[in-house]
């Protein structure tokens, strides 16, 4: 059994203190192999917000991997956002372009779909280049039995979601990850949990979205995902905050793809 806690959109500065504190205690009690955070650690990417986020990460007893979100680029300061949009993230958190983690039979690779500026008015939307998609797909090794990619923005839109990601290059990148036999693509951004298969290939590459642990709710209570895998199946459980405890709100069971 391999267990991942998938968190997203903590938005330090707009965090839900009770929900975040309870999630932190839950992480400390559970046997978790890896904590994945799919972006938007901060609200406006200010130095105090990153300092609090960094201290929170340092207090975790589990290995963790974080990929940036659009809120992790400076909200104020056009020059900094244009020249070094992830400078603060890299100073306080770690590499922005990609972070990776390998365990026995499990490989996890982050890819940055956030941008400081884009040639469109809404810079919060995602983008992934062909080079990023190729390098991500090529990173996996033949003996990586479970392959996981982490991005802030869903590469393919959440059906019926509360907002759009509109990732430039997303559909093409998703097809490349299917060809690379990636099992899960973890994301956030829409602040709602979901699981569905990519439409291409063998149908065994799944998009998995996590909710938020902030007060920036979009019709869904604060939540995070527990992902459990064994030789035959992947189980995803969304744990929602009731105001006093976490309890399952949604669950999915996915048959794993057979070895090549």
């Amino acid at each position: 059994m391999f267990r991942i806690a998938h968190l997203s959109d903590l938005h330090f500065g707009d965090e839900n203190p009770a929900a975040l504190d309870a999630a932190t205690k839950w992480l400390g009690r559970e046997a978790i192999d890896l904590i994945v955070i799919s972006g938007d650690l901060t609200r406006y990417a200010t130095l105090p917000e990153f300092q609090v986020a960094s201290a929170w990460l340092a207090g975790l007893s589990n290995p963790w991997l974080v990929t940036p979100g659009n809120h992790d680029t400076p909200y104020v300061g056009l020059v900094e956002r244009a020249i070094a949009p992830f400078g603060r993230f890299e100073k306080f958190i770690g590499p922005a372009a990609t972070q990776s983690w390998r365990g026995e039979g499990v490989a996890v690779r982050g890819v940055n779909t956030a941008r400081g500026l884009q040639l469109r008015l809404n810079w919060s939307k995602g983008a992934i280049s062909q080079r990023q998609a190729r390098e991500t797909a090529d990173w996996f090794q033949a003996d990586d039995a479970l392959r996981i990619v982490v991005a802030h923005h869903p590469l393919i839109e959440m059906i019926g979601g509360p907002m759009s990601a509109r990732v430039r290059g997303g559909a093409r990148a998703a097809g490349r990850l299917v060809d690379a036999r990636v099992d899960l693509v973890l994301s956030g951004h829409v602040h709602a949990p979901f699981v569905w298969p990519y439409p291409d290939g063998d149908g065994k590459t799944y998009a998995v979205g996590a909710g938020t642990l902030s007060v920036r709710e979009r019709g869904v209570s604060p939540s995070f995902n527990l992902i459990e895998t064994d030789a035959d199946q992947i189980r995803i459980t969304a744990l929602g905050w009731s105001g006093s405890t976490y309890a399952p709100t949604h669950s999915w069971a996915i048959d794993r793809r057979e070895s090549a």
Side-chain angles (χ1 to χ4, degrees), residues 31-50:
I32 299 296
D33 296 288
L34 178 67
I35 298 171
V36 167
I37 303 172
S38 52
D40 279 2
L41 273 174
T42 66
R43 174 181 54 177
Y44 295 139
T46 66
L47 293 178
E49 289 168 3
F50 270 121

Side-chain angles (χ1 to χ4, degrees), residues 5-11 35-41 65-72 89 110-111 113-114 149-154 185-191 194 208-212 225:
H6 174 204
L7 286 66
S8 197
D9 298 81
L10 281 68
H11 288 293
I35 298 171
V36 167
I37 303 172
S38 52
D40 279 2
L41 273 174
L65 179 153
V66 183
T67 194
N70 51 281
H71 277 267
D72 297 322
F89 182 95
V111 58
T113 57
V149 170
V150 184
H152 178 60
H153 300 83
V185 183
L186 310 185
S187 65
H189 190 63
V190 299
H191 294 198
F194 64 86
V208 178
T212 182
N225 295 337

